[in-house]
Amino acid sequence: MSVILIATIVGLAAVFLGLTTVIVAGKAWREAGEARDRTRRQFLEPRILAYAQAEDGSIRAALGRTPSARDRRIVEAVLLDHAQRVRGAAFERMSRALDELGFVERYRAALRSARSWRRAWAAEQLGLAGARRAVPDLAAALRDPMIDVRMRAAKSLGLLGGAGSVRELIGALDEPNRWSSIRVADVLAGMGKGAVQEVIAAYPSLGAIGRLAALDVVGRARPLAAVPWLLERLGDAAPDARARAAHALGAIGDPRAVPALETALRDSAWPVRAMAAKALGRIGEPEAIPPLRRALRDPEWWVRSNAAHALGALGEAGTTALEEVLDSTDRYARSQAVVVLEERGVVDARAGGLVSDHAAERHVAAVFVRRLVAAGGTERLAELAADATDLALREQLRAHLAPAPTSVEGRS
Amino acid sequence: MSWIDLLAWMISAFNHFVLVYFLVLNTSYLALFLLSLGAVFRFVRRTFFSDYRQILQSEMTWPISVLVAAHNEETTLVDTVRSLLMVIYSEFEIVVINDGSTDRTLPRLVDAFALTRMDRPYRQAIATGRVRAIYGSLDHPHLIVVDKERGGKSDALNAGLNLARYPLYCSIDADSIIEDNALLRVVKPFMEHPTETIAAGGIVRIVNGCEVKDGRVVRIELPDAYLPILQVLEYLRAFLSGRVGWSVLRSLLIISGAFGVYRRAEVVEIGGYSRDTDTEDLDLVVRLHRHMRRKGRKYRVVFVPDPVCWTEAPATLSVLRRQRARWHRGLVRTLWDNRGVLFNPRYGTLGMLSFPHAFLFEMLGPFVEILGYIVVASAFLLGLLNAEFFLLFLAASVLYGIFLSVAAVLLEEMSFRRYPGWIDLCKLLVFSVVENLGYRQLLSLFKIKALWDVLLGRRGWGRMERAGFQQAPDGATVSAAR
């Protein structure tokens, strides 16, 4: 027993002390290292920046001697930090320095490492280092089993640009992982018109997931030239593709898309109708008002909500249309109109007219308030009737909100 | 054998049982710690590479509804909502549910965010108490405030679920602050495994002692008071060493109500939050597990160790006692209601590992622990036990516990390092020892009281007294929470 006891207590105490030592010593070591690195960086950074600004000369010459292992790490960090902030000749010099010091080769080798985090790290560094000769390696990394490696590779290919990168990235759009496909789509959207054209050209060869991502790319890049192609996509067999095409057309905002989007408001799939309504609001053409008014009677809540908000975004004409909907026989349409009129502050503005000096304005306000009350939109009015600073306005609103007196004869 | 011999034998047998119990208990925590160690390292390496900034700005990120249930939260709610409005995320809405507050919670919100009443439609996908009014803001179009009659936190969250528009929702406690990028980090598992992930939670850390400015934690420091420091350690152990491990085993039983993201459809399918529990967060996750396993659907409930939610810890013993009693009552109730899962192979690791662990160690543990201390100590004092056994018992219970606490500090120090100062590190190490010499035993006593309450059929939330967040000098004048 005593042997077990001593062994247990000593063992646990030793582990406890060991852990404490590891924690304290680890922190001390790390902080001391960081302090030494900061001091050394203050010495090395000006030399590296001077090298980047110069027209010729090698990095080794700029540093004065072959850097030690510690200095190499600091030089690498400085070069990569600044490479992200500069363009043109200075960037090219930094890129060349990273190659000259052997970092690019090291990253390329690391891209074949067995450890996935190391491959991801290498993929990222190659992009930052502007290593164009690594495009084939990065293209291969787009098929890596680990998502982090694929994402890093996509980002780096985006930074490096070039036709080879675009083709490989388009292939990666079929990625089932949403996190990754968003990044690839963003990278492609950021690569300019040429890349978007290639995405459009590759569309028929992509799978279902890739096609949706391709539509996202076009919606993000918003090229006016893509409008005819997107209009065709509104006739796509897949409802998701039609919905995203509608969304992209709204993002581009070209009035040429209005008639097709009006048709899409009658699509059999509600996500397409909802996106079409939203898009019409973003484009902002008043000719969309009548179909949007009809969409307020849609059986799907999202479509009604988007149509009401779209009308709210269409200026005075849209607001008038929403006011007219207050008399609608459809209670869902009335309800959406009330929500948007309240959200956009129209109720406050119109109700204020009740105490205007002009008879015509008072009349318009009274008609509006009556319609609103009849449509069931009493929440904001009740609040104004209780809190408005103008006593006359409060009284007027209370009168409007009071229940209509019931006739005595009628009761018998 | 005389009766004295029999008694001595029984005491000795019980003492040995308690010793083995502590060894198994702490070894199970050690196993969880080791699982967590690997998972946290993998997570840190992956996070380092993740393109959070770009994804945050992408229009293609999934939209989310953020639900905040509040009852008498006038000191912190405005700050919480401000912090939420600053969260960086492409498309989201904030739904605050004022659950029959009797203080100035609602008027403060109305003033701070220029709220006005609106006629928003309220669809009762889940039945709730009466909704008195729905407010919107002209200044903040993504903010909705629901004023409803008091129905408890579950009822309030159900009302929020009825109003939530998006397929994902996040529930956040009214006294909590989430970091700018926390929402996206916790949504990430949903985007990576869109068809499988149904719930994900982030780490909850203690805000006491930290400096908060405009709804953001701007300086992280340990509190001065002992009680909150002990809870900092306890949370580190529970979240970093515990939940990460359970998440790896795919049998995480709880996602903290302070900060969790769920798929709305599945939660509505099981009828939303249960009103018949003291811990709606634990109950919801357990019911989700059962629902998905019964339906035979592939699913994931994930803990993500980095997205941080800062919350105020009880600063007095009486508030702590009430909080822990409520948690334990909820645990007992949920385990009892779902006892069919226990040792049921149909539920996989949930039925064979995490449920038995919760049953034997979380629920009954405090009882065995306290009884063990009393019996072993008494037996030692009465001369029925030799000193060696007594020391071995202390080693298995206290020293092993200290080791696990320090291991949690090590995990924090090797991964996230949220407390950068040397003084804070030293405090954490010292309190790792202190935690096991009184605090843990005290919590066990609170839990035994809760177990007693359950047997008597008592329940309720108890009053939480809040000091409010400690503001930076140029912030609003709210007192310190130290």
Side-chain angles (χ1 to χ4, degrees):
Chain A
M1 188 67 170
S2 59
V3 176
I4 300 172
L5 169 73
I6 292 166
T8 311
I9 295 177
V10 169
L12 277 172
V15 173
F16 164 67
L17 287 174
L19 277 186
T20 310
T21 312
V22 166
I23 294 171
V24 174
K27 187 176 170 73
W29 177 259
R30 196 181 62 244
E31 290 190 356
E34 282 166 5
R36 280 198 303 273
D37 281 1
R38 273 196 299 276
T39 314
R40 195 65 195 146
R41 188 172 171 138
Q42 279 169 4
F43 172 79
L44 290 168
E45 198 160 12
R47 283 162 178 76
I48 297 168
L49 292 180
Y51 156 82
Q53 297 306 323
E55 286 182 3
D56 51 16
S58 78
I59 183 74
R60 284 178 201 280
L63 292 173
R65 61 186 166 93
T66 306
S68 64
R70 172 183 290 273
D71 280 0
R72 274 178 68 84
R73 203 162 30 76
I74 297 166
V75 170
E76 180 188 11
V78 172
L79 284 169
L80 289 171
D81 278 356
H82 288 281
Q84 293 176 64
R85 294 183 213 143
V86 297
R87 294 262 179 283
F91 175 79
E92 293 300 331
R93 300 247 323 144
M94 291 199 169
S95 176
R96 201 178 315 143
L98 283 159
D99 206 354
E100 190 187 327
L101 291 170
F103 290 116
V104 171
E105 273 318 302
R106 198 172 130 231
Y107 303 148
R108 288 181 68 193
L111 211 48
R112 293 185 294 275
S113 164
R115 283 172 293 181
S116 64
W117 64 269
R118 205 164 155 70
R119 298 198 298 277
W121 167 82
E124 163 135 69
Q125 306 295 76
L126 283 168
L128 297 178
R132 277 190 207 93
R133 67 195 162 90
V135 167
D137 307 86
L138 288 167
L142 283 176
R143 292 184 289 279
D144 195 280
M146 284 298 291
I147 177 187
D148 299 275
V149 183
R150 299 198 294 273
M151 283 176 68
R152 296 295 95 194
K155 184 185 171 193
S156 291
L157 283 170
L159 286 173
L160 296 173
S165 306
V166 175
R167 261 194 308 281
E168 296 298 340
L169 284 168
I170 290 172
L173 281 177
D174 266 319
E175 167 79 62
N177 185 312
R178 185 84 182 119
W179 187 266
S180 163
S181 70
I182 284 182
R183 275 308 292 139
V184 175
D186 274 342
V187 167
L188 277 166
M191 289 175 82
K193 284 180 191 164
V196 178
Q197 278 308 319
E198 285 204 44
V199 169
I200 290 174
Y203 186 82
S205 65
L206 291 169
I209 294 172
R211 287 180 172 202
L212 298 183
L215 284 161
D216 284 341
V217 173
V218 180
R220 287 279 282 159
R222 292 163 203 180
L224 205 55
V227 171
W229 180 78
L230 283 170
L231 290 174
E232 278 175 37
R233 297 284 72 71
L234 281 179
D236 209 293
D240 278 349
R242 300 201 295 278
R244 287 192 201 202
H247 179 265
L249 285 166
I252 294 172
D254 185 350
R256 280 181 297 168
V258 171
L261 286 169
E262 286 177 15
T263 310
L265 275 179
R266 296 191 294 276
D267 197 284
S268 57
W270 73 260
V272 182
R273 302 199 298 275
M275 278 303 154
K278 195 172 178 179
L280 286 168
R282 290 176 87 170
I283 294 172
E285 285 293 308
E287 62 179 278
I289 290 174
L292 282 171
R293 268 188 66 167
R294 279 194 294 279
L296 283 175
R297 304 167 76 105
D298 196 282
E300 180 59 40
W301 179 84
W302 266 111
V303 182
R304 296 197 299 275
S305 173
N306 282 0
H309 282 98
L311 284 169
L314 284 173
E316 194 53 37
T319 306
T320 308
L322 282 171
E323 288 178 37
E324 285 164 9
V325 173
L326 293 176
D327 302 330
S328 165
T329 51
D330 186 311
R331 72 186 170 96
Y332 294 110
R334 288 202 306 270
S335 157
Q336 275 306 330
V338 169
V339 170
V340 174
L341 289 170
E342 284 177 341
E343 276 182 7
R344 299 190 74 87
V346 177
V347 172
D348 290 42
R350 293 279 196 275
L354 284 175
V355 288
S356 164
D357 294 335
H358 305 287
E361 269 186 40
R362 286 201 299 277
H363 174 71
V364 169
V367 170
F368 172 80
V369 171
R370 269 200 296 277
R371 277 165 128 180
L372 191 66
V373 173
T378 54
E379 284 288 309
R380 179 60 187 152
L381 288 179
E383 201 175 34
L384 284 172
D387 301 340
T389 44
D390 190 322
L391 176 66
L393 178 60
R394 290 208 299 270
E395 283 175 354
Q396 290 249 16
L397 284 170
R398 277 189 209 131
H400 276 284
L401 289 167
T406 319
S407 70
V408 177
E409 293 83 4
R411 277 193 193 167
S412 57
Chain B
M1 185 188 270
S2 70
W3 67 270
I4 293 180
D5 290 340
L6 183 68
L7 187 68
W9 182 84
M10 280 172 69
I11 290 175
S12 169
F14 181 75
N15 289 341
H16 282 86
F17 162 72
V18 172
L19 180 70
V20 172
Y21 180 88
F22 269 111
L23 280 173
V24 175
L25 168 79
N26 284 331
T27 306
S28 75
Y29 286 130
L30 179 64
L32 282 173
F33 165 76
L34 293 173
L35 279 175
S36 303
L37 191 71
V40 166
F41 274 135
R42 279 194 299 277
F43 178 84
V44 170
R45 277 188 178 141
R46 287 195 63 190
T47 309
F48 178 70
F49 294 117
S50 289
D51 271 342
Y52 286 109
R53 198 162 41 87
Q54 285 91 341
I55 298 235
L56 281 166
Q57 291 157 357
S58 173
E59 288 173 12
M60 293 174 254
T61 309
W62 288 356
I64 187 165
S65 305
V66 180
L67 310 187
V68 188
H71 172 71
N72 290 350
E73 300 279 1
E74 62 176 12
T75 51
T76 53
L77 189 59
V78 170
D79 271 336
T80 305
V81 175
R82 264 203 198 112
S83 90
L84 288 174
L85 286 167
M86 279 187 291
V87 160
I88 309 163
Y89 201 86
S90 65
E91 191 178 348
F92 68 108
E93 62 175 358
I94 301 164
V95 183
V96 179
I97 309 105
N98 175 43
D99 188 37
S101 294
T102 49
D103 64 355
R104 289 186 46 77
T105 299
L106 185 65
R108 284 203 175 182
L109 280 177
V110 168
D111 290 348
F113 303 106
L115 298 177
T116 60
R117 286 170 79 136
M118 288 183 183
D119 289 270
R120 258 176 179 270
Y122 180 73
R123 295 164 295 154
Q124 287 236 16
I126 306 163
T128 64
R130 195 175 74 83
V131 167
R132 293 193 285 234
I134 298 174
Y135 292 81
S137 166
L138 298 182
D139 300 342
H140 307 281
H142 306 298
L143 174 66
I144 304 160
V145 176
V146 190
D147 181 33
K148 67 180 281 294
E149 282 174 1
R150 177 102 174 104
K153 191 176 176 189
S154 299
D155 198 54
L157 287 168
N158 286 339
L161 272 172
N162 284 338
L163 268 170
R165 292 188 300 168
Y166 298 125
L168 289 184
Y169 80 89
C170 173
S171 77
I172 292 174
D173 272 358
D175 59 340
S176 302
I177 291 175
I178 60 166
E179 292 190 343
D180 290 352
N181 57 11
L183 209 48
L184 187 75
R185 284 178 182 228
V186 81
V187 166
K188 190 180 175 201
F190 290 88
M191 291 167 72
E192 286 187 331
H193 303 278
T195 53
E196 288 177 25
T197 313
I198 57 164
I203 190 166
V204 176
R205 288 176 184 263
I206 306 284
V207 77
N208 305 43
C210 299
E211 202 174 277
V212 178
K213 190 178 176 188
D214 299 327
R216 266 197 188 131
V217 174
V218 291
R219 188 174 52 82
I220 298 171
E221 213 172 274
L222 278 181
D224 289 338
Y226 298 155
L227 204 56
I229 301 183
L230 289 165
Q231 290 171 78
V232 169
L233 261 171
E234 190 195 354
Y235 276 47
L236 277 185
R237 244 168 77 150
F239 283 92
L240 276 189
S241 310
R243 291 193 193 173
V244 176
W246 286 120
S247 180
V248 173
L249 291 170
R250 290 210 173 190
S251 47
L252 184 65
L253 278 188
I254 182 166
I255 281 176
S256 174
F259 182 39
V261 173
Y262 306 83
R263 233 169 32 201
R264 184 177 174 275
E266 275 75 8
V267 175
V268 172
E269 256 176 52
I270 60 165
Y273 290 86
S274 162
R275 286 195 286 180
D276 201 22
T277 175
D278 283 309
T279 44
E280 76 300 326
D281 43 5
L282 169 72
D283 183 85
L284 182 81
V285 177
V286 171
R287 284 191 299 125
L288 275 174
H289 272 295
R290 289 195 76 175
H291 177 71
M292 299 304 278
R293 301 242 182 184
R294 223 181 288 134
K295 295 256 171 192
R297 291 191 214 157
K298 219 173 160 196
Y299 73 101
R300 298 159 76 99
V301 174
V302 190
F303 178 78
V304 197
D306 191 36
V308 177
C309 168
W310 295 92
T311 196
E312 197 188 331
T316 64
L317 273 179
S318 61
V319 181
L320 181 71
R321 179 177 55 78
R322 286 198 293 268
Q323 184 198 48
R324 296 316 163 93
R326 182 174 66 76
W327 287 2
H328 206 66
R329 280 198 307 271
L331 174 78
V332 174
R333 181 64 201 254
T334 302
L335 292 180
W336 182 250
D337 286 350
N338 297 281
R339 56 192 180 279
V341 176
L342 191 66
F343 293 119
N344 187 339
R346 220 179 109 197
Y347 291 99
T349 47
L350 183 79
M352 302 308 285
L353 273 179
S354 68
F355 238 72
H357 187 273
F359 216 89
L360 294 174
F361 297 133
E362 305 289 344
M363 188 176 110
L364 300 175
F367 184 71
V368 178
E369 194 173 330
I370 294 298
L371 197 66
Y373 285 126
I374 294 169
V375 174
V376 173
S378 311
F380 175 63
L381 290 173
L382 293 171
L384 295 170
L385 202 68
N386 59 34
E388 287 171 349
F389 185 90
F390 186 62
L391 284 173
L392 193 61
F393 169 77
L394 286 181
S397 59
V398 179
L399 207 53
Y400 206 161
I402 292 173
F403 158 64
L404 289 169
S405 299
V406 177
V409 177
L410 175 74
L411 193 53
E412 162 76 359
E413 209 28 50
M414 291 170 85
S415 54
F416 305 113
R417 296 183 206 124
R418 289 292 177 140
Y419 298 99
W422 271 100
I423 293 174
D424 283 346
L425 178 66
C426 294
K427 271 189 192 171
L428 282 177
L429 288 171
V430 170
F431 277 80
S432 301
V433 179
V434 177
E435 192 203 0
N436 290 279
L437 296 172
Y439 179 71
R440 244 182 54 195
Q441 291 77 3
L442 187 70
L443 291 185
S444 292
L445 282 175
F446 292 164
K447 290 173 186 171
I448 290 174
K449 168 79 171 54
L451 212 63
W452 181 246
D453 285 346
V454 173
L455 294 174
L456 294 180
R458 289 183 198 149
R459 62 174 291 218
W461 269 70
R463 238 176 83 74
M464 273 297 275
E465 282 143 22
R466 303 204 188 289
F469 304 125
Q470 183 189 347
Q471 300 285 340
D474 51 341
T477 53
V478 182
S479 64
R482 291 197 175 208

